[in-house]
Amino acid sequence: MEKIGPRDWVPAASVRFYEEQAAKYRTMPARDFAGEVERTLAAHERYTDLDCINLYAGTNFMNPRAARFQASSVGSRPSLGYPGDKYETGLGYAEQIEIMAVELIKRIFKCEYVEFRVGSGSLANLYAYMACTKPGDKIMALPVAAAGHVTHHAEGAAGLYGLEIHQIPFDGDRMEVDLDRLRQEARQLRPKLIILGASLALQPYPVREVRQLADEIGAYLMFDAAHLSGIIAGGEFQQPLAEGAHLMTCSTYKSFGGPAGGLVLTNDSGVAERLDRIAYPGLTANFDLARTAALVAASSDILEFGPAYARACIANARALAAALAGEGLPVHGPAVKGYTLSHHVAVQAAPFGGGTTASRRLEPANILTSGIGLPLPLLENDYNGLRIGTQEITRWGMQPEDMPAIAGLVARILLKGEDPAAVQPEVIALRHRFHSLHYVFTD
Ligand SMILES: *Cc1c(COP(=O)(O)O)cnc(C)c1O
């Protein structure tokens, strides 16, 4: 992308957009800002929450009660140290929320130790690296073509922390880790940490096998469940900790359906002790107790409804993949039975000019998706895949029999070249048929 102006590292299109938009705020009277935020939020909520078919894989619609908790005044109250032994006084009620969060998450993930004071999944990964490695150590992670996350790579937390990053060999046809090559390469490299899990997972990873390898070479095995935590919590996908991962990191706002934030989970007391000190007094001083309260509400939903929710997400993904393929879209992962065993679906995006291009073409029709890396030839300026997740439409009550309608709308825009704006009213009409939330406690 062309670059201009003093911030010459920012794409020119973004600089121009920013300058156009920012002009009105440079003279706006202070008293007008809150009202402007109110109108902006209302418009955003109407649009994304109610008028869009949101197939973006890394998002969800949070239980409204959890959203109310997130707005509570406890969110601006500091809390340092262990429950029962806090630095600040006055936390006698608030510290119960921490204890509830830990107990619920332990029950959901069947683990011993929970670090929940983590601001995001990315930071959860940084905490995990700090607990298991030192700067300069070697790690192995999935390549971008297998949807390995930026935090596993040089530009992200792993690189910024000074780790030397090597790629896990991945068999793109089978959408699987190439275990034989991984064993060979890891025995030579002797990495201190191996990371499984990525931003697209059409099927489980070979956690047991990689744990054996990790034991042989003295490495830790981390599972990044940012996207998968909701379906793992429901018991409908693999169980990385039980299968041998030393630790598992999560985002709490993707398939898990809670507030934005991260978790690090482990059964290893040595790792847990280091994580505890990294969280406090290391990198988190005071954490957001309002977010923690929302996390408790979201976690209670998962504890109760998680299995049914996870089953429904996966059934919808399989039905949507089949329907998209039936429309003639190049759904990726033919070696995976039914195209997917998770809530993710991947479509090859080269015929549409790339994944981001395709997602921007779907946007004016109120269908939200994203680009993703697939193990296919690279495109010059775009992702080679389009990623879809069914977690939000599942919460709104959509079922496998509703998937052909969605696939038909996507195909009309991407394959038949229909004007997305002309398709938009039909998308909104379909979306409006689903107005109550499922798999959550309602008050
Ligand atoms: C989204 C994602 C993260 C980062 O999570 P955030 O909560 O957005 O910081 C980490 N790992 C993977 C594989 C992801 O897809």
Side-chain angles (χ1 to χ4, degrees):
M1 234 180 213
E2 173 206 355
K3 319 236 174 186
I4 54 162
R7 285 187 193 79
D8 63 359
W9 62 92
V10 179
S14 178
V15 172
R16 255 182 248 116
F17 176 80
Y18 183 92
E19 288 303 320
E20 273 166 33
Q21 301 299 316
K24 57 183 180 281
Y25 301 127
R26 293 192 176 129
T27 52
M28 186 180 272
R31 77 170 70 82
D32 291 353
F33 274 91
E36 188 65 16
V37 168
E38 232 153 35
R39 281 186 292 279
T40 303
L41 290 178
H44 172 80
E45 286 175 6
R46 198 167 48 244
Y47 168 68
T48 45
D49 298 347
L50 303 177
D51 285 349
C52 280
I53 294 185
N54 200 337
L55 301 172
Y56 183 78
T59 189
N60 221 319
F61 186 78
M62 187 159 71
N63 183 337
R65 197 182 205 182
R68 282 205 304 284
F69 292 171
Q70 197 165 18
S72 65
S73 74
V74 79
S76 60
R77 301 299 183 188
S79 176
L80 287 178
Y82 296 101
D85 186 24
K86 290 285 181 187
Y87 166 72
E88 297 97 344
T89 51
L91 290 168
Y93 296 110
E95 65 193 354
Q96 292 298 321
I97 294 167
E98 282 181 55
I99 301 172
M100 286 187 248
V102 169
E103 288 307 310
L104 267 171
I105 292 165
K106 278 166 62 177
R107 279 161 72 181
I108 290 168
F109 289 104
K110 301 175 184 68
C111 62
E112 285 289 319
Y113 303 99
V114 173
E115 183 48 68
F116 69 93
R117 293 167 290 187
V118 195
S120 70
S122 298
L123 287 173
N125 286 353
L126 176 63
Y127 285 30
Y129 302 151
M130 295 178 90
C132 299
T133 65
K134 292 197 173 37
D137 281 350
K138 293 175 185 150
I139 68 166
M140 293 186 85
L142 288 159
V144 174
H149 193 252
V150 62
T151 53
H152 308 166
H153 290 284
E155 320 80 67
L160 294 174
Y161 180 56
L163 297 172
E164 183 184 314
I165 300 132
H166 297 265
Q167 300 201 344
I168 293 176
F170 192 76
D171 179 333
D173 292 332
R174 299 154 60 118
M175 289 301 279
E176 276 177 2
V177 170
D178 184 338
L179 268 174
D180 288 337
R181 279 184 52 209
L182 172 61
R183 288 191 185 104
Q184 272 173 25
E185 293 180 21
R187 282 173 187 142
Q188 293 209 326
L189 272 169
R190 302 208 148 264
K192 286 286 183 313
L193 175 71
I194 302 176
I195 305 171
L196 293 177
S199 302
L200 172 76
L202 299 178
Q203 59 182 335
Y205 296 87
V207 172
R208 286 178 207 283
E209 292 82 353
V210 176
R211 172 59 189 263
Q212 273 186 358
L213 172 66
D215 285 344
E216 183 193 313
I217 61 173
Y220 282 108
L221 171 58
M222 162 183 151
F223 192 94
D224 183 338
H227 273 269
L228 297 165
S229 50
I231 61 170
I232 289 170
E236 292 294 316
F237 201 67
Q238 68 185 143
Q239 300 296 303
L241 289 171
E243 290 162 25
H246 292 96
L247 66 181
M248 180 162 95
T249 57
C250 305
S251 295
T252 50
Y253 68 101
K254 298 180 179 177
S255 64
F256 197 81
L263 294 172
V264 191
L265 313 175
T266 185
N267 289 318
D268 181 315
S269 64
V271 171
E273 185 179 348
R274 293 197 294 279
L275 284 169
D276 198 23
R277 294 184 202 289
I278 291 162
Y280 179 76
L283 293 177
T284 316
N286 297 292
F287 58 96
D288 185 349
L289 269 164
R291 174 177 81 73
T292 311
L295 181 62
V296 168
S299 300
S300 69
D301 290 334
I302 290 277
L303 184 63
E304 181 79 9
F305 305 106
Y309 162 65
R311 272 196 299 280
C313 285
I314 296 166
N316 277 339
R318 291 165 67 82
L320 183 56
L324 289 166
E327 291 283 348
L329 280 128
V331 179
H332 189 68
V336 181
K337 223 171 145 231
Y339 295 107
T340 182
L341 298 171
S342 76
H343 63 303
H344 284 162
V345 177
V347 178
Q348 299 174 2
F352 317 116
T356 300
T357 305
S359 71
R360 289 183 181 164
R361 185 141 174 81
L362 291 167
E363 185 185 18
N366 289 21
I367 297 173
L368 305 182
T369 57
S370 66
I372 192 77
L374 290 177
L376 293 170
L378 291 178
L379 304 181
E380 211 168 296
N381 271 319
D382 200 347
Y383 292 101
N384 55 14
L386 178 74
R387 184 187 60 181
I388 289 172
T390 53
Q391 68 292 337
E392 180 157 340
I393 57 172
T394 300
R395 281 198 163 206
W396 284 113
M398 291 195 188
Q399 297 193 350
E401 59 265 30
D402 303 309
M403 297 303 109
I406 295 179
L409 293 163
V410 170
R412 280 166 57 190
I413 297 159
L414 291 186
L415 280 184
K416 294 168 196 158
E418 268 188 59
D419 176 6
V423 178
Q424 185 208 43
E426 290 175 64
V427 173
I428 295 175
L430 173 59
R431 174 65 191 81
H432 285 186
R433 283 177 36 216
F434 302 89
H435 29 71
S436 62
L437 282 172
H438 293 62
Y439 315 109
V440 298
F441 286 113
T442 47
D443 49 3

